[in-house]
Amino acid sequence: MSAPFLKALGLMTLMAGMTAGGQVLLKLGLDAAGFTLSFRSLFSLMLKPKVLMGLLLALAAPLVYLKALSLLGLSSVYGLNGISYFFVYFLSRFILHEKGSSLHLAGLLLIAGGITVWSI
């Protein structure tokens, strides 16, 4: 594997972690605040630490993606997006305490195979 590929893989892993982490923080912040849809509540909600950090992570992740895209072709980088499913699965299981199943694990294995065939 080439050095640009390994750097792009690291960046995509970071991007996936930022995106999934941001989504988990948003979920935790929204659940804690009792979200209701109005302009006033939306503004005050965005000042909550978990929501604000979640938004910042989710908004910064595309910048990392752009750097990875500058290192490799679109087809290679886009295929690495599947890494995010692993972060979402494990963060939702261990932080949000959502249930997983053997079908989820089978899906993750298929995704790992797809990433390997498509990008590596």
Side-chain angles (χ1 to χ4, degrees), residues 8-99:
L9 178 61
L11 288 169
M12 289 303 291
T13 303
L14 175 63
M15 190 258 337
M18 291 171 68
T19 302
Q23 296 295 320
V24 168
L25 285 170
L26 283 171
K27 171 74 172 145
L28 291 171
L30 292 173
D31 286 350
F35 176 69
T36 57
L37 187 58
S38 72
F39 183 74
R40 176 181 281 168
S41 67
L42 187 61
F43 183 73
S44 65
L45 183 67
M46 289 177 60
L47 299 177
K48 305 284 184 194
K50 288 179 184 173
V51 173
L52 185 60
M53 190 62 185
L55 285 171
L56 289 175
L57 279 173
L59 292 173
L63 299 175
V64 177
Y65 180 80
L66 291 174
K67 180 61 180 168
L69 196 56
S70 73
L71 296 171
L72 292 179
L74 177 61
S75 61
S76 295
V77 172
Y78 193 77
L80 293 172
N81 270 324
I83 295 169
S84 63
Y85 289 102
F86 294 91
F87 281 96
V88 168
Y89 177 78
F90 289 107
L91 290 176
S92 67
R93 290 268 297 143
F94 298 111
I95 294 178
L96 299 176
H97 306 290
E98 294 179 359
K99 294 185 179 189

